[in-house]
């Protein structure tokens, strides 16, 4: 056999196949390993909670405090007659607007008129007696100078004249009292307002001071609420406030003002009472209902707007963000304003995006995936 003979073509092909098979074994091993790693990563990703991110929007806003309270009339009073008697007439019905001094109701005046007439007659009799006694005293004084009557008689007539004058004054006082009682048979409105309650029938006997009519002045309402003690120094009387009716869609005003900030806290809640004057000449607000007020507590500053659904309040107001490594991070925020669907917050550092609808299962540093 010639050792230098050239190998045949089939033999060369067989050798090449063996070499190819040997070389392909490591490549197949690497491919299988990559496939297994990818499968494991996919399973891990599938096991992580999925979250949705929403962008935060930059705005300028002032620190605010949102409070709720009850709207009360600026003036409210239950009124009744100062004297007793039978209710003879109701001049104004429920819901009517009245002016100061308008007659609301009247008592029967038959007995009162008779008492006035009797007092007038007593005054007339006392005037006649006083005139006669005065004339007698004057005549006796003249006669006493001429020696016609004694000094004792003169002094007695003078005393009688003085007594008659005193009786006249007493009769006039009784007349004034009778006339005052007669005037009090007409019940007049002490201030302008709206009649909220009134008797629906007459004929009943009422006693002095029995409340019969309820009158409220509704052109201005007073919103009574409370704030934390730490905010008391940041509220100034005269500051304009936005007030919105709770349950009344679109009912609000920007012209309410802080009227009073009391220097004494409520003993039950330890919060400071605050009163806001709410203009209501057009009747948009309803007295004795709830309202919401947004109290300004400082100057405008850089802030951010996020959806209300992104804010959590458990253990303090906060939002959740996703870090560069895919981990959830809790960020404490300060709420400046709560809107219908959004909240204005302060956060440091500034927020770029937040997790919307964070679940209670989120914890600091837990891995998440973004939808």
């Amino acid at each position: 056999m010639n050792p230098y003979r050239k190998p045949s073509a089939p033999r060369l092909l067989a050798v090449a196949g063996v070499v190819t098979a040997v070389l392909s074994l490591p490549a197949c091993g690497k491919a299988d390993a990559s496939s297994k790693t990818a499968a494991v990563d996919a399973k891990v990703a599938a096991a992580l909670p999925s979250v949705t991110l929403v962008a935060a929007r930059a705005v300028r806003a002032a620190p605010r405090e949102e409070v709720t309270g009850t709207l009360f009339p600026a003036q409210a009073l239950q009124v009744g007659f100062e004297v007793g008697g039978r209710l003879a007439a109701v001049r104004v019905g429920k819901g009517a607007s009245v002016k100061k001094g308008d007659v609301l109701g009247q008592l029967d005046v038959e007995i009162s008129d008779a008492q006035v007439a009797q007092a007038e007659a007593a005054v007339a009799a006392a005037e006649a007696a006083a005139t006669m006694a005065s004339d007698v005293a004057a005549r006796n004084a003249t006669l006493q100078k001429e020696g016609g009557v004694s000094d004792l008689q003169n002094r007695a007539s003078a005393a009688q004249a003085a007594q008659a004058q005193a009786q006249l004054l007493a009769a006039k006082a009784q007349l004034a009292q009778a006339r005052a009682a007669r005037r009090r048979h007409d019940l007049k409105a002490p201030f302008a307002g709206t009649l909220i309650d009134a008797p629906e029938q007459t004929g009943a006997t009422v006693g002095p001071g029995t409340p019969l009519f309820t009158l409220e002045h509704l052109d201005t309402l007073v919103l009574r609420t409370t704030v934390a003690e730490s905010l008391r120094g940041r509220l100034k009387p005269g500051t304009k406030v936005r007030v919105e009716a709770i349950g009344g869609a679109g009912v609000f005003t920007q012209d309410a003002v802080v009227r009073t900030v009391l220097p004494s806290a409520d003993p039950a809640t330890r919060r400071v009472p605050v009163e806001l004057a709410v203009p209501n000449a057009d009747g948009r607000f309803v007295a004795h209902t709830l309202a919401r007020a947004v109290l300004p507590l400082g100057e405008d500053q850089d802030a951010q707007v996020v959806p209300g659904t992104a804010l959590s309040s458990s253990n303090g107001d906060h939002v959740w963000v996703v870090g560069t490594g895919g981990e959830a991070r809790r960020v404490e925020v300060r709420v400046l304003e709560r809107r219908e669907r959004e909240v204005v917050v302060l956060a440091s550092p500034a927020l770029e995006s937040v997790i919307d609808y964070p679940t209670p299962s989120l914890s600091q540093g837990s891995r998440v995936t973004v939808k």
Side-chain angles (χ1 to χ4, degrees), residues 7 179 238:
R179 286 175 174 172

Side-chain angles (χ1 to χ4, degrees), residues 19-29:
V19 173
T20 302
V22 172
L23 293 176
S24 64
L25 289 176
C28 291

Side-chain angles (χ1 to χ4, degrees), residues 5 23 25 40 51 59 133 144 179 189 198 225-226 256 266 328 350 365 369:
R5 190 175 59 182
L23 293 176
L25 289 176
V40 171
V51 297
V59 293
Q144 196 269 337
R179 286 175 174 172
T225 184
T226 60
D266 184 277
T369 59

Side-chain angles (χ1 to χ4, degrees), residues 65-321:
E65 178 75 7
E66 185 176 294
V67 295
T68 58
T70 303
L71 291 167
F72 292 93
Q75 290 180 285
L77 187 65
Q78 289 184 320
V79 294
F81 294 94
E82 294 183 46
V83 297
R86 181 174 60 84
L87 184 61
V90 176
R91 298 301 182 189
V92 185
K94 295 180 182 179
S97 297
V98 297
K99 298 179 181 178
K100 181 178 179 179
D102 286 352
V103 176
L104 305 180
Q106 292 176 309
L107 295 178
D108 184 81
V109 296
E110 182 178 2
I111 296 177
S112 179
D113 286 346
Q115 291 173 341
V116 170
Q118 183 179 7
E120 290 175 343
V123 168
E127 285 179 341
T131 300
M132 183 179 296
S134 178
D135 290 343
V136 171
R139 185 179 70 252
N140 286 346
T142 302
L143 292 175
Q144 196 269 337
K145 291 179 181 179
E146 297 174 353
V149 295
S150 65
D151 182 63
L152 179 61
Q153 289 177 320
N154 181 41
R155 284 185 293 173
S157 61
Q160 290 175 352
Q163 183 178 9
Q165 190 64 33
Q167 290 174 344
L168 174 60
L169 293 177
K172 288 182 176 180
Q174 291 179 349
L175 175 59
Q177 185 176 4
R179 286 175 174 172
R182 169 63 182 84
R183 287 195 299 271
R184 282 161 175 74
H185 281 58
D186 295 336
L187 182 60
K188 298 181 179 180
F191 54 84
T194 302
L195 206 60
I196 304 302
D197 194 16
E200 297 183 353
Q201 60 184 14
T202 61
T205 301
V206 298
T210 302
L212 295 178
F213 299 84
T214 301
L215 185 63
E216 294 182 352
H217 179 72
L218 303 176
D219 286 351
T220 301
L221 301 181
V222 177
L223 176 61
R224 295 176 182 170
T225 184
T226 60
V227 298
E229 183 182 357
S230 59
L231 303 180
R232 174 176 172 263
R234 300 162 69 180
L235 282 177
K236 304 298 181 184
T239 303
K240 282 196 173 185
V241 177
R242 174 187 169 92
V243 172
E244 178 182 357
I246 297 178
V251 178
F252 70 93
T253 180
Q254 301 282 6
D255 296 326
V257 296
V258 178
R259 189 176 77 167
T260 307
V261 181
L262 296 182
S264 177
D266 184 277
T269 63
R270 310 301 180 189
R271 291 172 63 87
V272 177
V274 176
E275 293 183 353
L276 310 177
V278 183
N280 192 44
D282 56 1
R284 71 178 71 179
F285 291 99
V286 179
H288 305 291
T289 60
L290 295 177
R292 180 186 300 109
V294 181
L295 305 176
L297 301 174
E299 301 297 329
D300 285 350
Q301 54 187 299
D302 292 329
Q304 292 173 293
V305 178
V306 299
T309 52
L311 179 69
S312 300
S313 298
S314 177
N315 297 323
D317 292 330
H318 62 277
V319 295
W320 291 90
V321 301

Side-chain angles (χ1 to χ4, degrees), residues 25-40:
L25 289 176
C28 291
K30 291 181 179 179
D32 291 342
S34 299
S35 300
K36 290 180 180 179
T37 302
V40 171

